[in-house]
Amino acid sequence: MVLVENYELYEILGLHIFGRKMQHELILIDDLLFALVGIEGRYISIKRVHGKADVVSFQVDASMDLALQELAKRIFPLCESYLLIDEFVESRSQFKHGLVNHAFAAALRAFLLDYQAMVAQLEHQFRLRRLSIQGLWFYCQPMMGSMQALSTVIRKVSANNYAGSAVLNLLQSQAKAMAGDSAVRSLLEKMTHSASNAYLSILERWIYEGVIDDPYGEFFIAENKSLQKESLTQDYDAKYWRQRYSLKKDIPSFLANIAGTILTTGKYLNVMRECGYNVQVPVSENSKLMTFGSNHQYLECVKAAYEFASGELLSLIKEKYDLIGKLRSIKHYLLLDQGDFLVHFMDIAREELLKKHDEISVEKLQSLLDLALRTTAAAADPCHEDLTCCVERASVLKGLSRLKDLDIKNVSHSNDLEEPISITGLETFSLSYKIQWPLSIVISRKALTKYQLIFRFLFHCKHVERQLCGAWQMHQGVRALNSHGTAISRSSLLCRSILRFINSLLHYLTFEVLEPNWHVMHGRLQTAKSIDEVIQHHDFFLDKCLKECLLLLPELIQKVEKLKSLCLQYAAATQWLISSSIDIPKLDEQSDGSFGSGKLKSKNPSQVLKVMTRNSAVTDSILKFEREFNAELQTLRPILSSSSQAEPYLTHLAQWILGVGNDQ
């Protein structure tokens, strides 16, 4: 009887304990359902770390059964992830965080709605007494991986304050890292696509209209509004074309390989818009940039937009603005392709050009230039009015040493170039050209400066040639005299040799450098597919001409300048040399008439001595010029020979110089 009573007591006590445990479990499940949506319960509380908004933890009351506590702690990471995601959605939906974060937050909000629907279904099961804590854990497990992956992304975004491209790159990298979990990977890819929609809408306007509609500065292309197109005619570095629109560091990884093409496409459209043409890339339903993926449809859209923009701009610049015609006009004047106007100009402006560079009137030179253009064949050129003149402050050699980006050999020596003591307009005169937008993209200030350097070198060579031709004409004028064996015959040979040097130099510069390179560039421009190719071919032409015209070889150009200086000195002294030689026999009024024979019949010994002294001085002067010219020529020979091995284009000039040396 006692045993039966004890058994009944234990049974009642067990039922009481079981009932109490069941009651705790039901309370805990109810609290967990609230915790799953971020609300505290009777036994579950939320603990936050001060100063760390993204660090939150859930705690269960210690009085709860240990087994129930352990089961609850398994579900807490899901609760923490929900709370973190929910707070992120609220904060990143604010105006200041940008379109990508707004789109990402919207996608997360839609995801949380599905999550909350799952919690509501679990609560319904709980109200029907069909949900145990083990069942709750079972139903929550599929969401654990997704929620934790999203919370990882959110923590990184919040910690680094990511926006725009950085958010897209993070989502994409996290998706790739989840290759082993297809469900999580699919979710992250979906988030990436949703977040990228806003970004792709910015991209779409850029490649289809050439407009940056980026209120939050998220796009990977930056616009520098301080640079205006007018600066191309003044800025040597041509910053407008390179820096008006530029790539930022943060580029979405799925666009990294075509970022340059995207930048160029919008730039081309922008140029046409600046020209007053509202050009827009034809858009079809298939070319909408609403998503990206493995089909790479967005790549085809970018490629098609680039080809359209490139073709339209190239056609505009070539046909409407006649780029080739403008370049040909510049060739006529700055590369001396048509020299009749220059000959006339040098004749009428000689007096002004002989002045020191700071005493020259640029206005007077401009009026003389206009006169030369109007009275020669240049008047038929509709572009001749764009030609202007200017006077530089330094010689060509000094100007070269100050230029950037030129591959000048032996730069240390080029910085120490000797400036002439007194430079005149002949050394500093230059032509300039008025270039209007959009041709200034191709013919920029930098390109025009290179044209001017070549012109100034050619112009001075032409001046030297004219002076030597004048000296040669003076020699030809006294050919009737019997000057064989006299100083005049010696001077005539020297004049012919010097004139041959300058003629061959000009022939090399024009017919072996400028003309062939121009024809190559012209052919390349005809087949160019984009304006950037046009710029590249044009810049290559100018750099090649500068190099082959010796302007980038300081050691060679200094020797040539020294020889030119000797040529001018000789030409200036020619009149005195010839007049002195002719006047020698005329000192004897009783001469037998054999002028220039050197046989003087005078009865006055002092006159004989005077004539002989004078004749000796003339001969010595000619010999001095001859020695100096030959010496400079001889020092030029080894330099030119060694340079021609590394620079094949110098071969013909080197052969001719060696020929001149042998003639001497």
Side-chain angles (χ1 to χ4, degrees):
M1 187 69 181
V2 174
L3 290 173
V4 172
E5 288 178 356
N6 288 340
Y7 177 77
E8 290 177 351
L9 180 64
Y10 288 141
E11 188 177 44
I12 293 170
L13 184 61
L15 288 172
H16 176 72
I17 294 171
F18 177 75
R20 186 177 177 184
K21 185 176 181 180
M22 284 294 296
Q23 185 180 9
H24 281 188
E25 182 178 350
L26 292 173
I27 294 172
L28 185 61
I29 292 172
D30 188 53
D31 279 5
L32 283 171
L33 289 172
F34 278 103
L36 284 172
V37 291
I39 302 173
E40 293 181 318
R42 283 175 289 179
Y43 290 95
I44 295 176
S45 59
I46 300 173
K47 183 180 179 182
R48 296 181 181 274
V49 178
H50 181 69
K52 295 183 178 180
D54 59 340
V55 178
V56 61
S57 61
F58 284 77
Q59 294 181 339
V60 63
D61 194 285
S63 63
M64 186 64 66
D65 182 77
L66 290 176
L68 294 176
Q69 286 187 45
E70 290 301 317
L71 286 170
K73 288 177 181 179
R74 292 182 184 180
I75 301 173
F76 283 166
L78 189 60
C79 305
E80 293 164 2
S81 295
Y82 170 81
L83 198 59
L84 185 64
I85 295 170
D86 185 59
E87 290 176 353
F88 179 85
V89 168
E90 291 301 318
S91 66
R92 294 289 155 161
S93 297
Q94 295 177 13
F95 179 82
K96 63 181 181 180
H97 292 293
L99 295 176
V100 172
N101 274 322
H102 292 171
F104 183 33
L108 289 172
R109 186 180 285 110
F111 174 77
L112 289 182
L113 288 176
D114 292 339
Y115 170 84
Q116 289 165 351
M118 180 203 74
V119 174
Q121 290 174 356
L122 291 174
E123 185 179 10
H124 178 68
Q125 293 296 317
F126 174 67
R127 300 304 173 204
L128 295 176
R129 303 280 181 173
R130 296 177 184 173
L131 185 68
S132 64
I133 192 166
Q134 288 85 357
L136 179 62
W137 164 241
F138 175 78
Y139 288 119
C140 285
Q141 279 190 72
M143 292 292 290
M144 291 290 269
S146 299
M147 294 290 280
Q148 286 182 346
L150 289 175
S151 62
T152 300
V153 171
I154 286 167
R155 284 192 178 94
K156 290 182 179 180
V157 171
S158 300
N160 297 286
N161 198 27
Y162 282 157
S165 303
V167 175
L168 298 179
N169 287 337
L170 177 61
L171 283 167
Q172 212 170 14
S173 63
Q174 288 295 114
K176 290 178 180 178
M178 293 294 174
D181 191 333
S182 59
V184 174
R185 181 186 178 113
S186 177
L187 173 66
L188 290 175
E189 286 178 347
K190 182 180 178 181
M191 291 291 165
T192 307
H193 292 163
S194 299
S196 67
N197 282 339
Y199 200 88
L200 290 175
S201 65
I202 301 174
L203 174 62
E204 193 173 89
R205 284 211 69 187
W206 172 249
I207 65 169
Y208 290 156
E209 300 176 40
V211 176
I212 294 182
D213 184 11
D214 183 22
Y216 301 96
E218 299 171 281
F219 197 40
F220 66 89
I221 295 175
E223 180 181 8
N224 186 352
K225 294 183 178 180
S226 65
L227 293 174
Q228 300 298 317
K229 61 180 183 292
E230 291 78 14
S231 67
L232 280 171
T233 59
Q234 303 295 329
D235 179 21
Y236 174 80
D237 293 321
K239 291 178 183 176
Y240 177 86
W241 186 246
R242 294 183 295 104
Q243 298 179 17
R244 169 68 188 224
Y245 297 101
S246 57
L247 295 176
K248 297 179 182 177
K249 291 182 179 179
D250 291 329
I251 300 175
S253 55
F254 65 94
L255 296 174
N257 293 334
I258 56 169
T261 305
I262 292 170
L263 172 66
T264 303
T265 303
K267 281 171 66 175
Y268 291 171
L269 293 171
N270 187 264
V271 169
M272 287 185 279
R273 200 173 72 249
E274 291 272 8
C275 293
Y277 294 88
N278 189 20
V279 179
Q280 188 170 352
V281 177
V283 181
S284 63
E285 286 300 319
N286 293 331
S287 58
K288 289 284 186 181
L289 293 175
M290 299 310 296
T291 186
F292 68 94
S294 57
N295 61 355
H296 300 303
Q297 178 261 348
Y298 66 99
L299 296 177
E300 296 299 322
C301 293
V302 171
K303 183 180 178 182
Y306 169 78
E307 290 176 352
F308 175 84
S310 178
E312 288 292 310
L313 178 59
L314 198 58
S315 176
L316 180 72
I317 286 183
K318 277 187 176 182
E319 295 173 12
K320 180 172 178 57
Y321 291 95
D322 191 19
L323 172 66
I324 303 298
K326 187 68 72 173
L327 289 174
R328 188 177 288 111
S329 179
I330 292 175
K331 176 174 177 274
H332 289 338
Y333 303 123
L334 271 71
L335 300 185
L336 306 187
D337 184 42
Q338 290 182 348
D340 57 335
F341 90 94
L342 186 69
V343 172
H344 186 37
F345 173 75
M346 293 178 82
D347 285 336
I348 61 178
R350 182 175 182 276
E351 183 179 343
E352 194 69 23
L353 290 173
L354 286 172
K355 295 179 181 178
K356 293 182 179 180
H357 72 283
D358 53 352
E359 297 175 357
I360 294 174
S361 169
V362 179
E363 293 78 11
K364 185 175 181 180
L365 281 180
Q366 183 64 52
S367 64
L368 293 173
L369 177 65
D370 293 340
L371 177 61
L373 290 170
R374 288 195 301 269
T375 55
T376 58
D381 181 7
C383 299
H384 78 270
E385 294 182 356
D386 293 330
L387 197 64
T388 61
C389 65
C390 57
V391 178
E392 304 294 343
R393 293 183 174 274
S395 65
V396 173
L397 295 178
K398 209 68 178 178
L400 277 167
S401 66
R402 294 172 183 168
L403 288 182
K404 311 169 189 175
D405 86 326
L406 290 180
D407 183 22
I408 302 177
K409 297 190 176 181
N410 303 320
V411 177
S412 60
H413 297 298
S414 68
N415 291 332
D416 302 325
L417 297 175
E418 294 183 4
E419 188 80 324
I421 297 174
S422 178
I423 55 176
T424 66
L426 294 164
E427 289 85 21
T428 57
F429 174 76
S430 181
L431 292 179
S432 189
Y433 211 91
K434 296 176 184 176
I435 304 296
Q436 302 299 326
W437 172 268
L439 294 182
S440 54
I441 295 172
V442 179
I443 313 169
S444 62
R445 175 70 259 175
K446 179 192 292 186
L448 201 56
T449 300
K450 293 176 181 178
Y451 273 116
Q452 289 175 320
L453 286 169
I454 297 170
F455 168 81
R456 290 175 64 190
F457 185 52
L458 289 172
F459 179 79
H460 195 255
C461 287
K462 283 284 187 183
H463 165 65
V464 174
E465 182 190 40
R466 280 168 58 84
Q467 296 302 106
L468 289 173
C469 285
W472 178 249
Q473 287 173 358
M474 291 182 67
H475 282 92
Q476 294 301 98
V478 296
R479 284 187 66 182
L481 302 177
N482 183 13
S483 58
H484 181 69
T486 66
I488 294 180
S489 62
R490 186 92 185 200
S491 179
S492 180
L493 290 172
L494 177 60
C495 186
R496 185 176 64 179
S497 178
I498 293 176
L499 190 55
R500 181 185 171 190
F501 165 76
I502 199 68
N503 283 339
S504 295
L505 178 62
L506 278 168
H507 176 87
Y508 164 78
L509 294 174
T510 53
F511 295 106
E512 295 191 29
V513 175
L514 299 178
E515 282 295 331
N517 285 322
W518 165 266
H519 286 296
V520 171
M521 179 194 70
H522 185 268
R524 288 174 175 173
L525 293 185
Q526 298 293 349
T527 58
K529 301 297 183 184
S530 69
I531 196 66
D532 279 301
E533 282 189 29
V534 169
I535 295 171
Q536 181 183 350
H537 294 324
H538 183 239
D539 288 345
F540 180 78
F541 160 73
L542 287 173
D543 292 340
K544 198 166 187 289
C545 287
L546 279 171
K547 188 177 182 180
E548 295 185 4
C549 284
L550 316 180
L551 292 172
L552 304 187
L553 303 169
E555 191 176 17
L556 263 177
I557 197 66
Q558 286 184 79
K559 289 294 181 185
V560 171
E561 288 298 311
K562 179 63 176 175
L563 283 165
K564 283 162 58 182
S565 177
L566 285 172
C567 292
L568 289 174
Q569 291 174 31
Y570 170 75
T574 299
Q575 185 174 1
W576 173 80
L577 293 172
I578 292 180
S579 62
S580 297
S581 299
I582 292 174
D583 286 343
I584 289 171
K586 287 183 179 179
L587 291 175
D588 181 16
E589 295 178 357
Q590 301 177 7
S591 171
D592 61 358
S594 56
F595 298 107
S597 65
K599 297 177 181 179
L600 188 63
K601 298 181 180 180
S602 176
K603 295 180 180 180
N604 191 338
S606 63
Q607 280 191 339
V608 174
L609 181 61
K610 185 178 180 181
V611 168
M612 291 178 64
T613 303
R614 197 172 184 186
N615 192 22
S616 176
V618 171
T619 305
D620 289 345
S621 297
I622 294 171
L623 290 173
K624 181 184 177 184
F625 278 121
E626 188 176 322
R627 283 195 303 269
E628 289 185 5
F629 179 75
N630 288 338
E632 286 298 327
L633 209 57
Q634 292 302 320
T635 57
L636 181 60
R637 288 178 63 192
I639 299 172
L640 197 53
S641 297
S642 60
S643 298
S644 64
Q645 295 176 6
E647 312 291 351
Y649 55 84
L650 294 174
T651 302
H652 296 297
L653 187 60
Q655 290 173 349
W656 184 87
I657 292 294
L658 293 175
V660 170
N662 293 332
D663 289 348
Q664 297 300 317

